[in-house]
C-alpha cells in the first residue's frame, strides 16, 4: 500500500535526524530515463530508490529538496507542456512544479548544495577515517578535524538513508507481500504447465504473464529460467547470448529446471528460486543434492533472528552444503575445513542472500559495514550485517557444477586432495540447484514471506 503522508513525514524526519546538518541544502533526484543509442526510445524507468522511499513517487524528474536551516522538505514534480501532452499521458502531479526548483535554489545560492539520489557523485573508495587528535602536535595540543570532502559527505548522507531503508515499515511490507502473492501465481502456473518439449522462453512468458495478471506492474529483475546445464550459470537470462537472435533450449524429461524470478509491486521486489525435475522422477543424485540444499535453507532461515551476524549464517549454510558433498563422495575431509580452505566455494560460489526492498539487491550502492574481501569464501558475502527486526533478506543456498570452476587446471591442482575429481567429472553438465525465499526478521520466529510458493521436487 502507498504510505500515508504521515508515514512519509516520519521517514524524512528520521533521515534528517541522522544527517545532522545545520545550513546545507540537499537535493535528491529521481533521475531521467536513459535513451536507447541511435533511437528516440528509452529504457524502462525506475526512480532512484532513496527518492522512492522518501516520496513514494516514481515519475522521472521528481526531486525532493531539504533545507537544513528550516528543517523543511519540498517536493517538486514534473508538469508536461501542451506539445508533449499530444504524445504522452501526464505524470501524476505532485508537489510544486519542477520548473520552480531553479528559483527555490537561487534563494539559497549562498548555502552548500549537496546532490544525492540520481545526482550523487559517489566515491569509488571509502574515505579514510578522520583523526580528531594530532598526537604529534606540540604540547599535546589537539589537532584540527579536517573538513570532510564533498565525496565523503555524499557517502555519509547516502549511508544515512540506507540505514533507514534497511528496516521495513508496514507499508513497505505490504508491497513486498503483494509482490510475493503475484510471484506465487506465476510459480503455480509453472507447476501446472511446464513439461518436456517446452522451451525455457515459453515457460518464462507463461510465468510472467501470471505475475502481471495478479497485479504486478513489472518483474523485479530479468527472470532466470535455466534448464539442464544452463542452471550452472548463476545469472542465466534469455538473450544473454545474443540480444538480436537469442537462443532458447527445449526441456527434456529428467532435466533440472531452475527458476529464479519475482514480481514487483509499488517498487518493491520479491525474489524466489525453485528447482524441479521435469517430466521424470529425480535421479538419486538429483534427489540427494536437492535435499541437501533444502536442509541448508531450512536451517539457515531459522537462524534469521535479531542479533545474528550474516557472515555466521552464510558459513553455517556452507558447512551444511559441504557435509552433503562429503557424504555424496564428491569431497574428502572435514566440512568446516573444506569451507575455510575455499573448497566448498567451488560448488557454492555466491553469498547466502541479500537484503530485499526497493532494489532486488537492496542497499548495495553504499558500503556501510565491511571492506571487500579476497577470501573466496566471503568475497560474495554481501554486507556483513547484524540482523535486526524489520529487515527482509533472501536465503538462497545452492550447489552448482560450473565448468569454468571445475575445469580450471589451477583449481584442480590446488584441490587435488580435497575433491574427488573423477566423481565430480561424472556430474559435469548436471546444472545447479538453488532454493530461495524472502525472509522477514521479527522479534520472534522468522517469517517467510514467500512460504505460499510450494517446493516440489518434480513437476510435469
Amino acid at each position: 500500500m502507498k504510505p500515508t503522508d504521515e508515514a512519509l513525514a516520519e521517514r524524512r524526519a528520521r533521515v534528517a535526524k541522522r544527517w545532522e546538518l545545520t545550513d546545507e541544502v540537499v537535493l535528491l533526484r529521481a533521475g531521467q530515463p536513459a535513451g536507447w543509442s541511435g533511437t528516440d526510445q528509452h529504457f524502462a524507468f525506475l526512480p532512484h530508490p532513496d527518492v522512492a522511499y522518501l516520496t513514494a513517487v516514481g515519475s522521472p524528474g521528481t526531486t525532493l529538496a531539504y533545507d537544513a536551516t528550516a528543517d523543511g522538505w519540498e517536493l517538486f514534480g514534473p508538469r508536461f507542456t501542451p506539445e508533449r501532452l499530444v504524445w504522452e499521458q501526464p505524470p501524476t502531479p505532485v508537489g510544486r512544479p519542477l520548473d520552480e526548483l531553479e528559483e527555490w535554489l537561487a534563494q539559497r545560492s549562498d548555502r552548500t548544495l549537496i546532490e544525492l539520489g540520481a545526482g550523487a557523485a559517489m566515491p569509488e573508495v571509502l574515505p579514510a577515517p578522520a583523526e580528531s587528535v594530532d598526537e604529534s602536535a606540540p604540547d599535546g595540543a589537539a589537532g584540527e578535524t579536517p573538513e570532510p570532502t564533498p565525496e565523503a559527505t555524499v557517502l555519509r548522507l547516502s549511508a544515512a538513508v540506507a540505514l533507514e531503508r534497511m528496516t521495513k515499515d508496514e507499508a513497505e511490507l505490504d508491497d513486498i507481500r503483494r509482490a510475493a502473492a503475484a510471484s506465487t501465481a506465476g510459480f503455480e502456473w509453472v507447476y501446472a504447465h511446464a513439461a518436456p518439449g517446452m522451451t525455457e522462453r515459453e515457460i518464462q512468458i507463461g510465468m510472467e504473464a501470471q505475475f502481471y495478471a495478479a497485479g504486478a506492474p513489472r518483474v523485479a529483475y530479468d527472470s532466470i529460467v535455466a534448464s539442464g546445464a544452463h542452471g550452472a550459470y548463476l545469472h542465466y537470462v534469455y538473450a544473454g547470448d545474443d540480444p538480436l537472435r537469442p537462443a532458447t533450449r527445449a526441456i527434456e524429461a529428467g532435466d533440472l529446471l531452475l527458476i529464479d524470478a519475482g514480481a514487483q509491486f509499488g517498487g518493491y521486489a520479491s525474489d524466489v528460486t525453485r528447482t524441479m525435475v521435469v517430466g521424470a522422477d529425480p535421479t538419486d543424485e538429483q534427489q540427494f543434492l536437492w535435499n541437501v540444499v533444502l536442509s541448508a535453507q531450512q536451517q539457515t532461515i531459522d537462524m534469521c533472528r535479531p542479533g545474528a551476524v550474516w557472515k555466521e549464517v552464510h558459513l553455517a549454510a556452507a558447512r551444511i552444503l559441504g557435509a552433503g558433498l562429503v557424504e555424496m563422495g564428491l569431497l574428502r575431509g572435514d566440512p568446516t575445513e573444506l569451507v575455510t580452505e575455499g573448497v566448498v566455494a567451488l560448488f557454492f560460489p555466491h553469498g547466502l542472500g541479500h537484503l530485499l526492498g526497493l532494489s532486488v539487491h537492496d542497499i548495495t550502492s553504499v558500503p556501510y559495514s565491511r571492506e571487500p574481501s579476497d577470501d573466496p569464501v566471503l568475497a560474495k558475502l554481501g554486507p556483513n550485517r547484524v540482523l535486526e527486526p524489520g529487515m527482509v533478506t533472501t536465503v538462497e543456498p545452492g550447489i552448482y557444477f560450473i565448468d569454468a570452476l571445475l575445469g580450471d587446471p589451477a583449481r584442480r591442482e590446488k584441490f587435488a586432495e580435497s575433491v574427488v575429481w573423477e566423481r565430480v567429472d561424472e556430474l559435469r553438465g548436471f546444472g545447479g540447484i538453488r532454493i530461495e525465499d524472502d525472509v522477514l526478521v521479527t522479534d520472534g520466529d522468522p517469517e517467510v514471506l514467500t512460504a505460499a510458493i510450494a517446493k516440489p521436487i518434480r513437476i510435469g
Side-chain angles (χ1 to χ4, degrees):
M1 62 183 176
K2 187 172 182 178
T4 64
D5 290 343
E6 292 77 10
L8 289 173
E10 289 175 4
R11 292 180 189 179
R12 296 173 188 174
R14 292 195 302 268
V15 166
K17 183 177 181 180
R18 284 187 182 273
W19 279 349
E20 297 182 326
L21 299 176
T22 54
D23 65 350
E24 297 87 347
V25 173
V26 181
L27 293 185
L28 295 102
R29 299 184 190 269
Q32 295 288 349
W36 292 1
S37 179
T39 78
D40 61 355
Q41 301 296 299
H42 293 86
F43 292 102
F45 176 78
L46 278 176
H48 190 283
D50 288 353
V51 177
Y53 174 72
L54 292 170
T55 68
V57 173
S59 300
T62 299
T63 301
L64 182 64
Y66 176 69
D67 183 336
T69 299
D71 192 25
W73 299 82
E74 197 78 54
L75 180 62
F76 296 86
R79 307 289 193 273
F80 283 1
T81 63
E83 291 77 15
R84 189 168 180 181
L85 289 170
V86 172
W87 296 95
E88 302 173 48
Q89 72 268 42
T92 302
V94 295
R96 296 169 57 177
L98 187 59
D99 291 345
E100 296 179 6
L101 175 60
E102 185 176 352
E103 175 61 25
W104 188 89
L105 289 172
Q107 295 170 1
R108 297 159 177 81
S109 59
D110 59 335
R111 315 257 292 281
T112 299
L113 175 63
I114 304 168
E115 290 265 7
L116 301 181
M122 294 292 290
E124 295 183 3
V125 297
L126 287 172
E131 298 292 340
S132 59
V133 177
D134 183 357
E135 299 288 350
S136 63
D139 302 322
E144 294 184 0
T145 301
E147 288 292 323
T149 65
E151 293 82 3
T153 298
V154 167
L155 177 62
R156 183 181 72 81
L157 301 191
S158 298
V161 184
L163 288 168
E164 286 300 327
R165 285 177 48 207
M166 268 199 284
T167 56
K168 305 299 186 278
D169 59 30
E170 285 305 315
E172 294 178 285
L173 291 174
D174 182 73
D175 281 344
I176 295 174
R177 289 189 173 100
R178 296 180 73 173
S183 299
T184 301
F187 276 88
E188 287 178 345
W189 182 93
V190 172
Y191 300 159
H193 294 88
M198 294 182 71
T199 66
E200 297 162 331
R201 182 61 167 170
E202 288 174 319
I203 292 172
Q204 177 187 349
I205 292 169
M207 172 185 66
E208 292 181 356
Q210 296 306 308
F211 291 172
Y212 302 135
R218 64 177 73 205
V219 295
Y221 52 96
D222 289 340
S223 298
I224 297 168
V225 181
S227 63
H230 289 171
Y233 297 102
L234 301 182
H235 286 173
Y236 176 87
V237 294
Y238 180 72
D241 56 339
D242 183 347
L244 297 182
R245 294 176 175 83
T248 187
R249 179 180 183 274
I251 297 170
E252 300 177 6
D255 276 350
L256 286 170
L257 176 63
L258 186 157
I259 297 181
D260 185 335
Q264 185 190 84
F265 193 88
Y268 286 83
S270 61
D271 185 358
V272 183
T273 307
R274 298 291 185 262
T275 307
M276 302 75 62
V277 179
V278 182
D281 289 332
T283 65
D284 290 344
E285 290 87 354
Q286 289 171 335
Q287 179 83 57
F288 181 86
L289 292 174
W290 190 91
N291 283 328
V292 169
V293 173
L294 179 63
S295 176
Q297 197 215 25
Q298 291 172 334
Q299 293 183 59
T300 50
I301 284 176
D302 190 60
M303 296 175 67
C304 292
R305 299 171 184 272
V309 179
W310 188 246
K311 172 183 172 181
E312 299 306 323
V313 183
H314 170 87
L315 291 175
R319 288 192 293 270
I320 296 165
L321 298 175
L325 293 169
V326 170
E327 184 178 347
M328 191 172 172
L330 301 178
L331 299 181
R332 305 184 188 93
D334 174 73
T336 299
E337 294 179 1
L338 293 171
V339 170
T340 302
E341 293 166 1
V343 183
V344 173
L346 291 173
F347 303 88
F348 177 43
H350 60 77
L352 179 62
H354 51 82
L355 291 177
L356 187 74
L358 283 163
S359 303
V360 66
H361 291 179
D362 210 25
I363 316 175
T364 56
S365 62
V366 178
Y368 56 85
S369 65
R370 70 172 182 94
E371 294 285 351
S373 173
D374 293 327
D375 186 333
V377 181
L378 303 175
K380 303 299 182 182
L381 174 65
N384 185 24
R385 57 193 177 274
V386 176
L387 298 184
E388 302 173 25
M391 286 182 173
V392 177
T393 185
T394 66
V395 179
E396 48 183 304
I399 291 176
Y400 316 86
F401 292 81
I402 301 172
D403 270 345
L405 300 179
L406 303 180
D408 176 40
R411 289 181 171 89
R412 292 178 74 92
E413 180 179 356
K414 179 179 180 180
F415 300 122
E417 299 302 318
S418 303
V419 179
V420 185
W421 287 111
E422 59 273 19
R423 182 75 179 95
V424 168
D425 289 340
E426 293 173 358
L427 293 171
R428 300 272 285 276
F430 178 93
I433 296 171
R434 180 165 67 252
I435 302 174
E436 174 185 19
D437 282 287
D438 305 337
V439 180
L440 171 64
V441 181
T442 76
D443 288 318
D445 293 336
E447 178 185 348
V448 180
L449 301 175
T450 46
I453 302 176
K455 298 174 181 172
I457 190 172
R458 175 184 171 168
I459 59 174

